Amino acid sequence: MSFQPRIDDNKSWHGDEDLEEMSFIFKTYKVRFFGLAVIALSNIVSSLNWLSVAPVPDAAKEYLGISLSEINWFSNVFMLVYLFAGPLSSWVYEHWSIKMGMVIGVVLQTLGAWLRYFSSFINDPTGKFALAMIGQVK
C-alpha cells in the first residue's frame, strides 16, 4: 500500500509530518507598538481635523461669513479627497514603505491643520474660507 499525500505541494509538506502538530512561533517587536501608537494617533488627529466645524455649524457660519451648505463642504471634501488619496497611499506603501507613507500622511495633516489655523488671521471672509478649505483638502 503506497501513501498518497493529501497536499499537492510536496516541497512544503512531507507525508510523515502531522499538520495538526505544526506550530508557528511569532516574535513581538517593541517598535511595532510604537508604530501602532503612531497610526492610532494619526487616525484620531485626522478625525478631529475632519469634523472640527461639524459640532458648531452656526458659529462657524457666522465666523467665516459663509452659508451652512459651504460649512457642510468641509466634511464632504474630506470624503472626496479620500477617493483619490486611498489608492495613492496604497501605491506609496507598495513602492516605498508603510513608514514613508505614514510620514507623508502626517506631514500633510499637519500642514493642513496649520493652514486652517492661519486662515483665522485673514480678514477677508472669502480668503478665510478659501485657505481653510485648502487646509481641509491637505
Side-chain angles (χ1 to χ4, degrees):
M1 181 169 148
S2 66
F3 182 78
Q4 295 290 331
R6 292 179 287 171
I7 298 177
D8 293 338
D9 186 7
N10 291 329
K11 294 178 183 174
S12 64
W13 180 73
H14 303 290
D16 59 343
E17 293 177 352
D18 187 8
L19 291 178
E20 292 179 8
E21 291 182 15
M22 295 177 113
S23 64
F24 299 97
I25 299 172
F26 295 102
K27 184 165 172 78
T28 306
Y29 297 96
K30 292 181 181 177
V31 72
R32 302 236 174 150
F33 288 103
F34 175 74
L36 178 64
V38 168
I39 290 171
L41 288 173
S42 176
N43 284 332
I44 290 169
V45 169
S46 177
S47 297
L48 288 173
N49 285 335
W50 169 34
L51 297 171
S52 62
V53 296
V56 288
D58 293 327
K61 178 183 90 161
E62 295 297 321
Y63 181 73
L64 293 171
I66 56 177
S67 68
L68 282 176
S69 64
E70 290 171 321
I71 292 292
N72 288 335
W73 272 103
F74 275 102
S75 294
N76 294 341
V77 76
F78 185 89
M79 290 299 166
L80 290 174
V81 168
Y82 179 77
L83 292 173
F84 299 103
L88 182 63
S89 66
S90 297
W91 182 83
V92 169
Y93 293 161
E94 184 178 329
H95 283 69
W96 288 306
S97 67
I98 292 177
K99 182 179 179 181
M100 179 59 71
M102 289 300 300
V103 167
I104 291 170
V106 168
V107 166
L108 287 175
Q109 280 186 10
T110 304
L111 179 65
W114 278 106
L115 285 174
R116 288 180 60 178
Y117 172 70
F118 288 134
S119 72
S120 65
F121 296 112
I122 296 176
N123 293 328
D124 179 35
T126 306
K128 185 181 287 192
F129 174 69
L131 189 58
M133 188 58 77
I134 291 170
Q136 182 73 5
V137 170
K138 291 280 182 205

